[in-house]
Amino acid sequence: MVRLPGRTGTRSAPPHGGRRARTAPGPARRAPERPEGGGPPKAPPTGLRAALGGRSVAGQVFVLQVVVVLLLVVAAVVALVLQVRHDSTQEARNRSLAVAQAFANAPGTRAALTAPDPTAVLQPRAEAARQATGVDFVVVMNTDGIRYTHPKPDRIGKKFVGTIRPALNGGVVVEEVDGTIGRLVQAVVPVKEPDGRVVGLVSAGITTSNVGGVANRQLPVVLGAAAAGLALATAGTALVSRRLLRQTHGLGPREMTRMYDHHDAVLHSVREGVIIVSDEGDLLLANDEAHRLLGLPRDAERRHVLDLGLDPETAELLASGRVATDEVHLVGDRLLAINQRSTDLEGGPSGTVATLRDSTELRALSGRAEEARERLTLLYDAGMGVGTTLDVVRTAEELAEVSVPRFADYTTVDLYEPVLDGEDPDPASALRRTAAGGIREDPPLYPRGEKIRFVASSPQAHSLRTGRPVLEPRLESAPGWRAQDLERAERVVAYGIHSLITVPVRAGAQVLGVVDFWRSEKAEPFDTEELALAEELVARAAVSIDNARRYTREHGMAVTLQRSLLPRSLPEQSALDLASRYLPAQAGVGGDWFDVLPLSGARVALVVGDVVGHGLHAAATMGRLRTAVHNFSALDLPPDELLGLLDELVARIDQDETEAGGTAPVTGATCLYAVYDPVSRTCLLARAGHPPPAVIRPDGSVGFPEVPAGPPLGLGGLPFETAELVLDEGSRLVLYTDGLIEDRERDVDTGLEELRAALETAGASPEETCRAVLDGRLPSRAGDDIALIVARTRALGAERVAEWPVRADPAAVGEIRAAVTRRLAEWGLDELTFATELILSELVTNAIRYGSGPVRVRVLRDRSLICEVFDSSDTSPHLRYAATTDEGGRGLFLVAQLSERWGTRYTSSGKVIWSEQPLP
């Protein structure tokens, strides 16, 4: 017989229209118990532990059987112990009586009693008899009860403890008494003369301890046997209870009754048919729903499924016993989904159980649900796939990609031209086809990039005016759409495109453009539900398009600001051949900057820096720092002193911004400042938290010179250090920001090695060097700016430099004038002789008069004629207006009038007064 898991027995069909009789539910698993005070439910005990619990039927049977066995064992042990003790006592009585009678009737006992000293004769005999028989004592006494013998000699002569009167009368006494040697069993027999007269008494006895010792020696054996019997009985009971536990699944009587009621109610109230078929094909059980779905007769149980009048396919499936999952069968006017499984899994009874579900209405509902699910998935994918970048064109392309072919066969996105540049839309301007996608590449629609102006009757123009979507289900009968371009409209319809949805791209109150969805493959036109879906799809994309538009505008403003703050062109000078690059970050402009500053004495300063952060704030801070560097460089300060002044400036900027708003980000910046002198070919460098420079030597080898790394600007508290490099002519000095060598995917060391490899393969010119570095960097650009400047060194040869020492004598001024005049003649600069003599006369005279020695003069022929006067004094002359009555004070005024530029710079040993004159 096959039974339903969780039920036993079989069921017969109920009377027509009546309630089916309940069947006994089979074992079901106990529901987990929840402990007091909450917490997770306790798992039900299993196995022998559950049986010992006593709460289930199996547990109760186990406890009852163990108690019965235990009582039987205890009763048996008690009876056996009592029997052993009774037998031991009886043996003691018999032994003591026999010993007493034997000794009383022994030869010589009666004669010894009449001897002058009975103890001397009887004591040895009594002890020998006691030891030989194993009794505790053999006592001989006279008729008054006075002992002649005793195991303890001090008791001889004392009165016997016990009953002796019956023995004096010729009888025998056996009793248990408390004697002088403890609780004992003793026998008293008379010693008689031949005439029957009693002349004495003999008593033999054994103590209770000796009697009990026998019993105690037997008791462990008895208890061991009882324990073994109890263990065997318990094990057998446990095995039986465990099997019963498995059959009842740990349920108690009340639970089994309750589960019976529940299972019966569930089986016949669920809206799913359940039938059980034996392995021979007989129907064993069918619930009410199965009877209704299959139209089974009332006497269907116990009949073969092939004889129930079912359709052949369904009957064959139920009789075959094969596994089926959601197999659909037409039974009458119903579509039934049948699932069938074997019941003999995990040791169950053989047969099959099948469930039947009416899927007639479910099939129609599932189709609508699937369609709704696909639409929700489309909206979700649009939310995830549209707007991945802050680029207007790419965002429009993503909208076209996500909607084709899942929603439309062709999608076009038209945006106002100002929107593409980040500006607000202008309804008076034309639209540009920004993106287009389709299932084929040759639709006769406007191509991508074309400017379009829609006529007023077109659905696109209506959407742009009203901000509402428009549905054109039949394009061949839409005159407003055909009026846009009659020839193109004919080709579109002939191509197979027959339905259109137009949706405006709205961002708040602004309309940025319009999106068109075209259908060609599916015969049905777009409907109102699809119109709502298209509107939701475009609404989500419109947010991303507007964000990209705003970003484009702000990014353009920031780029414009930053480029306006960077040098538009590099200044003319003779010390260096220069090339530079600036690349803004993909995520927005930052604070990277560079500059080239000509200094006095044909020297050139190079500076590169990086302000932390991106956006307008960083760009504005960079502009302030660049202006400060221009002003500080005019003082001809050494690199370390200039960085010190910048450090104080950044600290003040941080303090001012924090006090002003309290929320402004603290500015941080790095900087590298280098000064190259073409006369000595030396380069002085100092850096504040900036990456070290690279030097490409004339032989092509690349190195990163050691320049002390000071703290970033704005931290304060630590001085900066200057490093001095001697560069061969033709060397290339490479300055850059950290965006070139560092990003999220690589560390600084890796970036430096990649930069070294790029510099080693770069061409000889600075321009080729910049190109080689950036060509290898651009494919993996990160989100940080890149500033790069490459400077190839030149040297000012000895033929273009003249230098003379000056004696501390006013007469030496004339000698200097003559020497300079001769050198200018050699250089072909005779036109500058007069002005140069006046300038040097004033400067040398001031150095001799107001300075301190040694004094020397140096003249350089560069892009201009440079005159320099060196002395050891720290006092700098100042230009002032002389009064009419002043005898002096007009010399520097004369120098300023004759020179293009003039000034003072300090050195480690004094100062230099210099002037520059343009070459003729």
Side-chain angles (χ1 to χ4, degrees):
M1 179 183 297
V2 179
R3 61 184 175 86
L4 176 67
R7 303 184 62 87
T8 59
T10 61
R11 300 186 61 87
S12 60
H16 183 69
R19 174 73 176 173
R20 184 175 302 275
R22 294 181 176 178
T23 59
R29 297 197 178 274
R30 181 190 301 272
E33 297 179 1
R34 185 172 298 277
E36 295 183 3
K42 296 180 180 179
T46 58
L48 185 59
R49 178 185 169 195
L52 292 174
R55 300 176 60 180
S56 64
V57 173
Q60 294 177 6
V61 171
F62 175 79
V63 172
L64 181 59
Q65 289 181 341
V66 169
V67 170
V68 171
V69 171
L70 183 61
L71 291 176
L72 292 175
V73 170
V74 170
V77 171
V78 171
L80 185 58
V81 170
L82 293 177
Q83 182 63 38
V84 169
R85 291 192 175 182
H86 176 268
D87 292 344
S88 298
T89 303
Q90 188 62 39
E91 180 183 356
R93 295 170 68 91
N94 293 338
R95 187 188 302 179
S96 61
L97 180 58
V99 172
Q101 287 178 341
F103 195 85
N105 296 323
T109 301
R110 188 173 60 251
L113 288 173
T114 60
D117 189 1
T119 298
V121 177
L122 294 176
Q123 175 69 13
R125 294 180 183 179
E127 285 301 302
R130 180 183 66 82
Q131 295 175 1
T133 58
V135 296
D136 288 314
F137 67 88
V138 176
V139 175
V140 182
M141 68 194 85
N142 60 17
T143 56
D144 294 327
I146 302 303
R147 300 186 188 101
Y148 293 137
T149 65
H150 197 280
K152 296 181 179 180
D154 59 337
R155 306 291 175 89
I156 297 174
K158 295 181 180 180
K159 190 171 182 62
F160 175 74
V161 178
T163 302
I164 61 173
R165 183 168 297 279
L168 293 175
N169 295 329
V172 176
V173 179
V174 180
E175 62 179 343
E176 293 185 27
V177 297
D178 292 325
T180 57
I181 59 175
R183 185 72 176 174
L184 51 84
V185 177
Q186 64 184 9
V188 181
V189 298
V191 180
K192 299 180 180 179
E193 290 287 351
D195 57 1
R197 184 171 53 86
V198 177
V199 295
L201 300 174
V202 176
S203 176
I206 184 169
T207 60
T208 303
S209 59
N210 288 338
V211 176
V214 176
N216 290 338
R217 288 191 296 272
Q218 295 176 347
L219 186 58
V221 178
V222 173
L223 293 178
L230 179 61
L232 290 175
T234 302
T237 302
L239 292 176
V240 173
S241 298
R242 185 173 183 178
R243 180 172 180 82
L244 183 59
L245 177 70
R246 187 165 56 250
Q247 296 294 327
T248 61
H249 294 276
L251 292 176
R254 293 183 180 179
E255 291 173 321
M256 292 183 67
T257 302
R258 185 170 62 255
M259 291 302 296
Y260 174 90
D261 295 337
H262 291 174
H263 283 198
D264 187 74
V266 170
L267 182 63
H268 294 288
S269 63
V270 294
R271 303 302 296 171
E272 187 171 277
V274 179
I275 63 175
I276 296 178
V277 180
S278 69
D279 52 359
E280 291 85 10
D282 296 331
L283 179 62
L284 301 180
L285 183 144
N287 69 347
D288 295 341
E289 185 68 7
H291 274 265
R292 186 182 71 85
L293 295 176
L294 295 177
L296 297 175
R298 288 181 295 174
D299 59 345
E301 275 82 357
R302 310 308 302 176
R303 293 173 58 184
H304 201 281
V305 293
L306 298 178
D307 301 332
L308 298 178
L310 303 176
D311 70 280
E313 292 185 358
T314 305
E316 185 277 330
L317 171 62
L318 298 177
S320 66
R322 63 181 174 85
V323 175
T325 301
D326 288 334
E327 193 170 305
V328 180
H329 289 259
L330 180 62
V331 179
D333 59 348
R334 294 186 178 93
L335 286 174
L336 300 184
I338 301 177
N339 291 274
Q340 183 167 273
R341 295 291 185 273
S342 175
T343 59
D344 59 359
L345 299 176
E346 299 181 359
S350 60
T352 56
V353 59
T355 60
L356 304 93
R357 186 175 63 256
D358 190 352
S359 63
T360 306
E361 297 179 358
L362 185 62
R363 180 63 59 89
L365 292 175
S366 64
R368 292 195 294 271
E370 179 64 21
E371 184 177 355
R373 187 190 65 81
E374 291 179 355
R375 292 181 178 182
L376 289 175
T377 302
L378 174 62
L379 293 176
Y380 173 79
D381 292 344
M384 299 298 294
V386 178
T388 59
T389 66
L390 290 173
D391 182 82
V392 176
V393 175
R394 180 55 192 156
T395 303
E397 291 173 348
E398 291 171 344
L399 173 59
E401 292 170 359
V402 78
S403 60
V404 176
R406 299 166 63 180
F407 177 69
D409 297 318
Y410 300 94
T411 299
T412 57
V413 181
D414 305 322
L415 300 176
Y416 287 112
E417 284 199 285
V419 173
L420 301 177
D421 298 328
E423 303 298 331
D424 291 335
D426 182 8
S429 64
L431 291 96
R432 184 177 295 277
R433 181 136 293 178
T434 308
I439 57 177
R440 288 191 289 176
E441 299 294 334
D442 57 345
L445 302 172
Y446 287 117
R448 179 176 175 177
E450 184 164 338
K451 289 185 178 181
I452 308 172
R453 290 185 181 273
F454 292 104
V455 298
S457 63
S458 66
Q460 291 88 349
H462 181 76
S463 291
L464 292 173
R465 285 195 308 271
T466 64
R468 303 296 300 171
V470 175
L471 170 63
E472 288 289 355
R474 304 289 180 183
L475 290 178
E476 67 273 10
S477 59
W481 170 76
R482 300 173 70 90
Q484 174 70 30
D485 189 335
L486 291 177
E487 181 182 355
R488 187 180 295 274
E490 293 295 334
R491 287 191 286 127
V492 169
V493 174
Y495 189 78
I497 298 176
H498 59 83
S499 188
L500 167 66
I501 290 179
T502 296
V503 183
V505 182
R506 292 182 301 173
Q510 294 181 324
V511 177
L512 308 180
V514 67
V515 180
D516 296 331
F517 300 99
W518 312 81
R519 174 170 286 178
S520 64
E521 295 296 313
K522 193 175 181 180
E524 296 82 3
F526 287 118
D527 56 26
T528 55
E529 291 185 359
E530 290 171 320
L531 178 66
L533 175 62
E535 188 176 10
E536 177 67 20
L537 183 63
V538 174
R540 298 193 178 197
V543 176
S544 299
I545 292 176
D546 189 51
N547 289 339
R549 176 187 69 86
R550 294 173 182 272
Y551 171 78
T552 301
R553 179 180 59 191
E554 294 178 2
H555 184 265
M557 293 173 57
V559 169
T560 301
L561 172 62
Q562 186 170 36
R563 291 195 180 279
S564 67
L565 296 175
L566 291 173
R568 298 180 180 273
S569 61
L570 299 180
E572 294 183 357
Q573 40 78 39
S574 302
L576 299 169
D577 291 330
L578 297 169
S580 63
R581 294 288 189 277
Y582 171 74
L583 299 177
Q586 291 178 337
V589 297
D592 291 17
W593 56 285
F594 66 90
D595 215 338
V596 178
L597 306 171
L599 302 177
S600 63
R603 297 171 304 125
V604 178
L606 301 175
V607 59
V608 62
D610 183 5
V611 176
V612 175
H614 295 88
L616 296 178
H617 176 78
T621 303
M622 177 269 291
R624 298 172 69 176
L625 292 182
R626 180 169 178 258
T627 302
V629 171
H630 270 268
N631 295 333
F632 295 151
S633 65
L635 302 176
D636 260 328
L637 298 175
D640 55 340
E641 295 184 15
L642 186 141
L643 291 182
L645 295 176
L646 284 181
D647 182 62
E648 295 179 3
L649 174 63
V650 173
R652 286 198 301 272
I653 292 175
D654 291 345
Q655 182 179 1
D656 294 342
E657 290 179 345
T658 303
E659 291 178 354
T663 58
V666 175
T667 302
T670 64
C671 184
L672 189 150
Y673 187 80
V675 177
Y676 175 70
D677 186 350
V679 178
S680 61
R681 293 183 292 105
T682 60
C683 182
L684 300 178
L685 304 97
R687 61 187 179 116
H690 203 81
V695 175
I696 308 175
R697 303 177 184 88
D699 60 1
S701 61
V702 178
F704 294 92
E706 290 291 336
V707 179
L713 299 177
L715 297 184
L718 293 176
F720 299 96
E721 298 183 50
T722 299
E724 181 176 342
L725 304 178
V726 177
L727 302 177
D728 296 332
E729 186 174 8
S731 299
R732 282 167 286 170
L733 184 64
V734 182
L735 308 182
Y736 52 89
T737 57
D738 59 356
L740 183 67
I741 61 172
E742 185 180 7
D743 55 32
R744 296 179 180 178
E745 299 179 356
R746 62 178 182 173
D747 56 18
V748 175
D749 294 336
T750 303
L752 289 175
E753 289 303 318
E754 293 180 0
L755 177 61
R756 181 193 299 273
L759 295 177
E760 288 176 346
T761 59
S765 69
E767 191 68 30
E768 292 173 335
T769 304
C770 289
R771 190 181 305 115
V773 170
L774 294 184
D775 285 348
R777 182 68 178 90
L778 280 178
S780 58
R781 274 185 61 191
D784 198 3
D785 295 14
I786 296 177
L788 173 67
I789 183 168
V790 179
R792 184 172 59 186
T793 61
R794 295 176 181 173
L796 200 62
E799 70 280 2
R800 303 173 64 181
V801 178
E803 187 172 3
W804 301 274
V806 179
R807 295 181 295 105
D809 185 356
V813 176
E815 300 173 1
I816 294 299
R817 286 201 301 266
V820 170
T821 300
R822 289 192 296 271
R823 181 54 60 94
L824 292 180
E826 294 176 3
W827 288 344
L829 300 177
D830 296 318
E831 296 180 16
L832 300 178
T833 301
F834 177 74
T836 303
E837 287 181 346
L838 291 178
I839 291 172
L840 286 178
S841 295
E842 179 62 25
L843 296 181
V844 173
T845 300
N846 285 342
I848 295 174
R849 180 177 298 176
Y850 304 110
S852 59
V855 179
R856 59 189 177 93
V857 173
R858 187 174 71 172
V859 180
L860 308 177
R861 180 172 175 262
D862 190 35
R863 290 180 176 269
S864 60
L865 181 65
I866 302 172
C867 300
E868 298 177 330
V869 178
F870 296 79
D871 69 73
S872 301
S873 172
D874 294 334
T875 304
S876 176
H878 297 282
L879 181 65
R880 63 183 179 87
Y881 286 98
T884 56
T885 58
D886 291 341
E887 296 181 358
R890 299 175 177 82
L892 288 180
F893 183 80
L894 181 63
V895 171
Q897 294 298 315
L898 297 176
S899 303
E900 184 179 42
R901 294 195 310 156
W902 77 280
T904 304
R905 72 172 183 270
Y906 292 93
T907 66
S908 58
S909 59
K911 68 177 183 295
V912 180
I913 310 297
W914 57 270
S915 71
E916 293 183 4
Q917 303 173 71
L919 297 180

